Amino acid sequence: MIQAFGLTSNPRKELPPAADDVSFEARAGRVTALLGAPGAGKTTVLRLMLELQQGRGITHFRGRPLHRITHPSREVGVLLGDVPGHPARTVRGHLRMLCAAAGVSVRRADVVLEAVGLVSLREERLGTLSRGMDRRLGLACVLLADPHSLVLDDPAGGLSTRESAWLHGMLRAHAARGGTVLFTTADPKGAARTADRVVTLDHGRLVADQEAAEFARTRLRPRVAVRSPHAARLAVLLTKQARTSQRSVEVVRESGNRLSVYGGTCADIGEIAFRHGIVVHQLADEIGDMGPGAGPAHTNGQRDSVLVEPLRVTDTHGAALTPDSGESSSSAGPTRPFAPDTQAPTAEPHQVLEPGSLSIAREPGTGEPSLSFGQSQLPDVEPHELSELSPAGGTDDGSLTATPPSRPRTAHPTAVLTARTLDAPPPLPPPISVRPAPSPLRPLRYEIRRATGIGTGFLTAATVLAVSAVTAVVLARIGHTPQPRLLAAWPQELPLPPAALGAGLLGALAFGDEFRHPALAADRGTVPRRLGLLAAKLLVSTAAALVLAVLTVGCDAEVLYLVYGRELAQVPADWVPLMTSWIGLVVGCAWAGVLAAGVFRSTTAGLAAVTAVPLLVVPVVHRLVNGPSMRTAAGLPVRLRETLLPRWPFGGERYLEAALKVMSQPVGGALTLSLAALLCAYLLTTLRSRFR
């Protein structure tokens, strides 16, 4: 069961809140439709329920708020819009990646593919799917973790009739297995046809909460609303008249003294009531297919206004009838309200009312009745309970008083209707704060499937190898390039070699694609930036950078051997520190791309951070270390090695010395500082969102 209490969005500038004190229930085993016109606040209500938007209120999913559920995707399946996936990823690959994120077996992907009818399209790319197939894939993503509740925002929007019928059949099947289904729609007829209960919103307010049958009967068909203290007698007369005239008229008894007449007109009903002397308090047409904005039906005891109109009973020609003679009055003469002994004396201004009192007075000049309440307090009374309109006893100002039918008339000279004293306003519902999405249950499995599911990484690596090989051949032909730089294809004029730029791009894509195609945000709306996911991305990007660094040197050496012979392809004598420096540079660029893209939420920002290290940070570090001053830091690398490198057994100090040598170089030192700054910024951003 889903229970929403007092959902209220934060106020907007000069506009009412998009959702205002919305409370309803969606029961297990049933399909509930949240109905409203565009802009009625349906999506806002869903986002407040899922803690994706700040506001007030609380929502319980089987008795627990969402932030207290350990694995929300296993409790609530959410689909807000289209499937957020990379367009180059296959349908099956996308589902397998989400299986790794949800911590379920990858075999579950094949199960849901068969359930939604996408087995034949499992190798299709997401960017080639039609609207109907995209909705099927979205439902498959929702069902992956087998959640108990489904929350969907306009799932049938833009679908054909056949696809809509299939989708609603799937939702009905989920509810039949004991699950809870809540979806939004703007189609009243579709809601009545597919849902068990319809909750209607209008301008952010709850205006109706009805069973689907009652909704279809009372809000989708044209009807005449009738209120009379003799409703039972009037219903019998209307049924008898319809049977006599052989007309299709349906009379339905509502609660209290209300009738709903389908197939009749106000003129016919008013004429029958007048002929038989039946007092009628309301007679109004309510046009069908109303949906939102049709007026309050069940509003949990809250009502914005009460409208009392004078009833004019007319004949079939539209001429007004007097209650005494039953004859038509002249079209030029005034008509009289259907009320006993009413006159129209000159009206005086409204008198001051006591708190909780009600008075009806005629407006000056028009003679039309108006309703007033003491201190603007609404009385606890239905409009149909105002059974009598009569001049106030002992007054001559033309004011009218209202007396409910269940209460005897009092001998007080001025009869007033006292409303129930309003209780103190209830306390505000608890605030809703946007909470970060949980990281995947299997972040390493998820990251491996994410990185290998599309061809971007493989294409980037192939491009880097080709550019490096061509650059090495050109540099060897020109000459004046040291062999280590020749093997790395690193010209003196470039700040970074192609392999380092490629590794930085792969690292930037690791987090940049998360924000560009937020597959993990389908259930919570925000891309997670937890340490587990960061560690997985750093580990996978490290592996990719190592492979790229080794392949680049190997390919360059092989090409140089084929073109120029063995002389340029010889291994340098100090290959250990050189290889350590090379691997540290490539891996550092990959890490810089990952961290920068995670902090700034952009692939471009990640790649810019990689290129900014040699262009901006290196000159600053070089100037600080070796710049002119009274005391310089010359010889710092040598002193660091002497202080921090004791003699280790088996020559282990050589590797640590190589690492320190890399860090002591301008590029290595600048890269180390950049990584430290980016890591601190990432941690600060993560902690700030968690504290929020």
Side-chain angles (χ1 to χ4, degrees):
M1 175 189 294
I2 302 176
Q3 297 171 303
F5 304 100
L7 297 180
T8 304
S9 61
N10 289 338
R12 300 170 292 177
K13 292 183 178 179
E14 300 179 358
L15 292 174
D20 188 4
D21 195 18
V22 177
S23 301
F24 63 92
E25 288 185 357
R27 297 185 177 274
R30 311 191 71 188
V31 178
T32 304
L34 194 61
L35 175 65
K42 306 184 299 297
T43 303
T44 302
V45 169
L46 294 189
R47 293 182 63 83
L48 290 172
M49 293 172 60
L50 300 171
E51 299 178 357
L52 304 179
Q53 182 172 329
Q54 293 183 349
R56 304 198 74 88
I58 192 170
T59 303
H60 286 167
F61 296 89
R62 290 203 288 182
R64 293 181 297 170
L66 195 63
H67 61 268
R68 293 188 179 276
I69 300 176
T70 306
H71 305 306
S73 61
R74 296 184 179 180
E75 177 64 32
V76 186
V78 181
L79 180 60
L80 303 177
D82 297 333
V83 177
H86 197 287
R89 202 178 302 277
T90 64
V91 171
R92 190 182 186 188
H94 182 76
L95 290 177
R96 284 174 169 252
M97 181 186 69
L98 294 182
C99 284
V104 299
S105 173
V106 293
R107 292 190 295 270
R108 179 68 180 171
D110 298 325
V111 173
V112 296
L113 279 176
E114 185 176 357
V116 300
L118 287 180
V119 176
S120 60
L121 301 178
R122 60 181 179 270
E123 299 302 328
E124 292 292 327
R125 306 290 178 179
L126 299 188
T128 63
L129 296 180
S130 63
R131 177 71 173 179
M133 296 301 104
D134 182 84
R135 285 300 182 184
R136 288 176 181 254
L137 177 59
L139 189 58
C141 296
V142 168
L143 297 175
L144 266 181
D146 195 18
H148 176 269
S149 302
L150 300 184
V151 178
L152 307 100
D153 187 16
D154 195 15
L159 297 184
S160 63
T161 304
R162 180 180 177 184
E163 289 289 344
S164 298
W166 174 87
L167 178 63
H168 290 123
M170 289 291 295
L171 300 182
R172 176 66 60 185
H174 182 80
R177 293 193 297 268
T180 305
V181 177
L182 174 65
F183 72 95
T184 65
T185 181
D187 181 16
K189 294 182 179 179
R193 184 173 55 252
T194 59
D196 298 312
R197 192 166 188 85
V198 180
V199 179
T200 308
L201 296 179
D202 185 24
H203 294 90
R205 302 293 300 273
L206 180 68
V207 297
D209 188 352
Q210 304 168 284
E211 294 292 330
E214 182 184 2
F215 173 82
R217 177 171 55 81
T218 60
R219 299 174 70 82
L220 291 183
R221 295 170 58 189
R223 67 171 182 172
V224 177
V226 184
R227 288 187 174 96
S228 171
H230 308 288
R233 181 184 171 199
L234 182 58
V236 173
L237 292 173
L238 292 175
T239 304
K240 181 179 179 181
Q241 179 66 24
R243 189 179 296 111
T244 302
S245 60
Q246 296 184 351
R247 295 175 56 189
S248 177
V249 177
E250 180 184 358
V251 182
V252 179
R253 287 290 304 274
E254 304 288 353
S255 60
N257 53 9
R258 296 182 298 173
L259 294 177
S260 295
V261 182
Y262 301 94
T265 62
C266 288
D268 294 338
I269 298 171
E271 183 178 357
I272 293 173
F274 178 77
R275 285 203 309 264
H276 295 84
I278 298 177
V279 178
V280 177
H281 298 154
Q282 182 190 16
L283 194 62
D285 281 316
E286 293 185 355
I287 306 302
D289 204 11
M290 294 174 290
H298 299 284
T299 57
N300 299 328
Q302 299 178 0
R303 187 169 289 100
D304 293 332
S305 61
V306 178
L307 181 61
V308 178
E309 296 183 359
L311 174 64
R312 293 175 173 82
V313 182
T314 60
D315 59 12
T316 55
H317 300 288
L321 300 176
T322 62
D324 297 328
S325 62
E327 298 177 355
S328 300
S329 60
S330 172
S331 59
T335 60
R336 297 175 55 202
F338 189 81
D341 302 329
T342 54
Q343 301 294 332
T346 304
E348 297 293 332
H350 292 295
Q351 58 183 346
V352 178
L353 301 175
E354 297 178 358
S357 62
L358 175 146
S359 177
I360 302 176
R362 299 186 183 281
E363 295 290 345
T366 63
E368 295 291 336
S370 63
L371 188 63
S372 303
F373 298 99
Q375 293 187 357
S376 300
Q377 292 182 353
L378 277 176
D380 189 21
V381 61
E382 296 282 344
H384 64 273
E385 295 177 357
L386 304 178
S387 62
E388 295 184 17
L389 298 177
S390 60
T395 62
D396 57 356
D397 58 352
S399 64
L400 301 177
T401 60
T403 303
S406 59
R407 303 175 185 177
R409 297 183 61 89
T410 64
H412 196 277
T414 303
V416 296
L417 182 64
T418 303
R420 175 176 56 87
T421 303
L422 297 179
D423 299 331
L428 291 175
I432 299 174
S433 59
V434 178
R435 301 178 183 273
S439 59
L441 300 182
R442 302 291 186 271
L444 186 57
R445 285 176 50 196
Y446 164 78
E447 181 60 23
I448 292 175
R449 292 190 177 277
R450 187 209 61 79
T452 59
I454 56 177
T456 304
F458 302 104
L459 181 61
T460 301
T463 303
V464 166
L465 294 178
V467 172
S468 297
V470 173
T471 304
V473 171
V474 172
L475 290 178
R477 183 174 182 83
I478 295 175
H480 309 290
T481 301
Q483 188 185 17
R485 280 185 168 266
L486 197 62
L487 293 177
W490 190 355
Q492 196 74 33
E493 296 78 14
L494 293 182
L496 288 175
L501 291 174
L505 177 59
L506 292 179
L509 288 173
F511 248 130
D513 279 349
E514 296 286 2
F515 298 101
R516 187 179 180 185
H517 308 289
L520 291 181
D523 57 342
R524 296 299 301 277
T526 56
V527 176
R529 293 192 297 187
R530 298 295 183 89
L531 296 182
L533 186 61
L534 174 64
K537 290 185 179 296
L538 291 178
L539 185 59
V540 173
S541 63
T542 299
L546 285 174
V547 172
L548 190 61
V550 173
L551 288 179
T552 299
V553 174
C555 289
D556 292 347
E558 186 67 24
V559 170
L560 291 175
Y561 171 76
L562 292 176
V563 176
Y564 298 107
R566 187 179 299 276
E567 180 182 359
L568 295 180
Q570 291 181 353
V571 178
D574 55 345
W575 67 272
V576 174
L578 289 176
M579 197 64 185
T580 304
S581 302
W582 171 244
I583 291 177
L585 176 65
V586 177
V587 172
C589 289
W591 284 13
V594 172
L595 293 172
V599 171
F600 300 107
R601 298 174 176 264
S602 172
T603 302
T604 305
L607 191 59
V610 173
T611 56
V613 172
L615 295 178
L616 301 178
V617 183
V618 168
V620 174
V621 173
H622 186 74
R623 183 173 300 177
L624 290 176
V625 174
N626 299 322
S629 62
M630 294 183 62
R631 290 185 175 87
T632 64
L636 176 63
V638 177
R639 291 192 293 273
L640 283 175
R641 288 197 296 270
E642 292 177 352
T643 305
L644 301 177
L645 286 181
R647 293 299 174 181
W648 290 4
F650 308 106
E653 72 278 359
R654 292 182 302 170
Y655 303 101
L656 186 57
E657 182 180 359
L660 289 178
K661 185 178 180 181
V662 171
M663 295 176 60
S664 64
Q665 295 174 358
V667 176
L671 190 58
T672 303
L673 292 177
S674 301
L675 290 177
L678 290 174
L679 183 59
C680 291
Y682 188 91
L683 294 176
L684 180 62
T685 306
T686 303
L687 292 176
R688 184 181 63 178
S689 62
R690 184 173 300 180
F691 285 136
R692 282 182 177 178

